[in-house]
Amino acid sequence: MTYRASDARYDAMQYRRSGKSGLKLPLVSLGLWQNFGGTRDYDSAFEILGYAFDNGITHFDLANNYGPPPGSSEELFGQVLARDFRPYRDEIIVSTKAGYNMWPGPYGEFGSKKYLIASLDQSLKRMGLDYVDIFYSHRYDPETPLEETMGALAQAVKQGKALYVGISSYPEEETRRAHAILKDMGVPLTIHQPSYSILNRWIETDATIEACGELGIGIIAFSPLTQGVLSGKYSSGSRAHTRAENEKGSMRESHLQPHVLEAVERLRPIAEKRGQSLVQLALSWVLRRPEMTSALIGVRNLDQLKDNLGVLKNLSLSQGEIGAIDQAVEDALIDLHPRPTGWLR
């Protein structure tokens, strides 16, 4: 059966401009980090992707290493583009990134021009695209001149392989430098993708969020639920059927300490008083900042997606509610500031 997008797909979603650019993103964007790899069948994937687009999620975020195995998320999304989303390509924002390990040898990760350009070409091939809308440097590389890394992003734009460029997990000083270098090359730095949540506030303490606001760089927060911790699903102590079940996965043990889970439970009455789930409260908090363009979610099933989209019904937070949230988690904040080699993801 041929997919036909809902005529009402833009009725409920809100969109924000990315910094000072002309690019608008939905308040909720969908990431394909861990749940759309080689173990996901097409039908179950498209159930989520199609529902997302039918409800105004126009932005789908990927990276070369997303899977597992690496590359498989792009391959799956390429199939979706070819089979069902092709008529809507001009309504869809596709982003991808390069920075983490993809192939053996000295040219398979970090920020060299050799790696970034080769990776983008591979990503385009996997997705069957001539260009991506946003291409990111996935992490800062302290051993490669930033001029080289930003030069590779600028080259991608000038070659028509990317419309916009961004950075991910760059600290404040490196963000400012990246912006200045790209500006000199005639290519705007459109967007920054850092981790950010009620429990993880490094972009505030580091002043990265203020730098982006000052420079006109949009921000899209990844892990706004701290990898599901802020959904409350770990409060019972069970890790079955969650990403924490995989000892080699991305979930950190520090996220699941008793004092952190107790802090999450202190948020529950605040959410209930607002008529929200914990998920919706967490997204409302991230989106409260005017510098924030979008919250990047990851979901395993349709129910989770619907829960996330429920945030659109109640976005505003009072100063009293913000203060109560701060007090609830003051002893449970997690520092995920990207160190020189970047935060592993």
Side-chain angles (χ1 to χ4, degrees):
M1 183 177 178
T2 303
Y3 167 73
R4 183 180 183 278
S6 169
D7 292 336
R9 59 188 176 277
Y10 296 116
D11 289 357
M13 182 58 72
Q14 299 177 38
Y15 300 84
R16 289 181 183 173
R17 195 174 300 278
S18 183
K20 295 179 181 178
S21 76
L23 178 65
K24 291 183 178 180
L25 297 181
L27 289 188
V28 177
S29 298
L30 183 59
L32 280 68
W33 178 12
Q34 295 191 349
N35 297 310
F36 291 86
T39 58
R40 171 73 75 169
D41 65 278
Y42 187 94
D43 290 342
S44 67
F46 189 72
E47 179 184 41
I48 295 170
L49 296 170
Y51 188 91
F53 187 57
D54 281 343
N55 285 271
I57 294 180
T58 53
H59 176 31
F60 299 92
D61 179 78
L62 300 105
N64 59 355
N65 64 326
Y66 286 179
S72 58
S73 290
E74 290 182 329
E75 290 172 352
L76 177 58
F77 192 69
Q79 295 172 28
V80 171
L81 282 169
R83 286 177 53 177
D84 289 295
F85 279 173
R86 184 64 65 184
Y88 307 101
R89 174 64 183 98
D90 293 336
E91 298 182 41
I92 290 174
I93 301 297
V94 180
S95 62
T96 196
K97 316 177 199 72
Y100 286 93
N101 185 58
M102 273 298 288
W103 59 84
Y107 321 118
E109 64 175 329
F110 280 110
S112 72
K113 188 173 187 178
K114 169 72 172 175
Y115 168 64
L116 292 176
I117 297 300
S119 179
L120 178 55
D121 286 342
Q122 291 179 20
S123 291
L124 292 173
K125 184 176 181 179
R126 281 191 288 266
M127 291 188 284
L129 292 173
D130 297 323
Y131 70 92
V132 291
D133 298 280
I134 306 171
F135 182 48
Y136 289 90
S137 167
H138 205 164
R139 60 171 167 172
Y140 172 66
D141 179 356
E143 297 183 356
T144 296
L146 195 54
E147 290 80 2
E148 179 176 339
T149 302
M150 294 303 106
L153 296 186
Q155 178 175 318
V157 171
K158 292 175 180 179
Q159 290 181 334
K161 295 178 181 179
L163 300 184
Y164 304 92
V165 293
I167 55 177
S168 180
S169 298
Y170 274 51
E172 186 252 354
E173 179 182 348
E174 287 74 17
T175 296
R176 290 185 179 276
R177 288 176 53 210
H179 174 271
I181 292 167
L182 282 169
K183 184 177 181 180
D184 286 345
M185 294 177 176
V187 176
L189 177 53
T190 300
I191 195 163
H192 190 317
Q193 187 177 133
S195 61
Y196 183 53
S197 73
I198 288 174
L199 295 174
N200 172 29
R201 307 184 183 197
W202 77 264
I203 61 172
E204 293 182 0
T205 56
D206 179 72
T208 298
I209 192 167
E210 286 82 6
C212 287
E214 173 193 332
L215 298 171
I217 304 167
I219 305 175
I220 178 169
F222 78 84
S223 291
L225 305 181
T226 317
Q227 298 204 51
V229 173
L230 285 163
S231 71
K233 65 183 177 182
Y234 296 108
S235 297
S236 66
S238 174
R239 303 186 184 188
H241 309 297
T242 70
R243 65 184 63 184
E245 189 176 28
N246 180 5
E247 293 182 357
K248 297 182 179 180
S250 59
M251 176 65 75
R252 297 186 177 197
E253 196 63 34
S254 60
H255 295 176
L256 303 174
Q257 294 300 305
H259 72 285
V260 175
L261 301 183
E262 289 166 6
V264 171
E265 285 307 300
R266 290 195 292 270
L267 294 172
R268 196 178 294 277
I270 302 172
E272 291 174 348
K273 189 174 181 179
R274 288 170 48 82
Q276 288 185 313
S277 66
L278 279 170
V279 165
Q280 293 159 9
L281 178 69
L283 294 177
S284 298
W285 186 89
V286 165
L287 291 167
R288 83 199 187 286
R289 295 280 307 224
E291 302 94 339
M292 197 62 54
T293 307
S294 182
L296 182 60
I297 64 167
V299 300
R300 189 183 309 106
N301 55 53
L302 194 56
D303 286 341
Q304 290 178 351
L305 176 57
K306 291 177 179 179
D307 188 13
N308 279 264
L309 284 170
V311 70
L312 299 172
K313 298 176 182 178
N314 190 6
L315 284 162
S316 62
L317 282 167
S318 70
Q319 287 304 310
E321 289 170 327
I322 293 172
I325 291 168
D326 290 344
Q327 185 176 5
V329 302
E330 62 182 352
D331 66 343
L333 297 181
I334 299 168
D335 178 15
L336 291 180
H337 187 288
R339 304 309 172 190
T341 55
W343 180 45
L344 181 63
R345 48 187 289 225

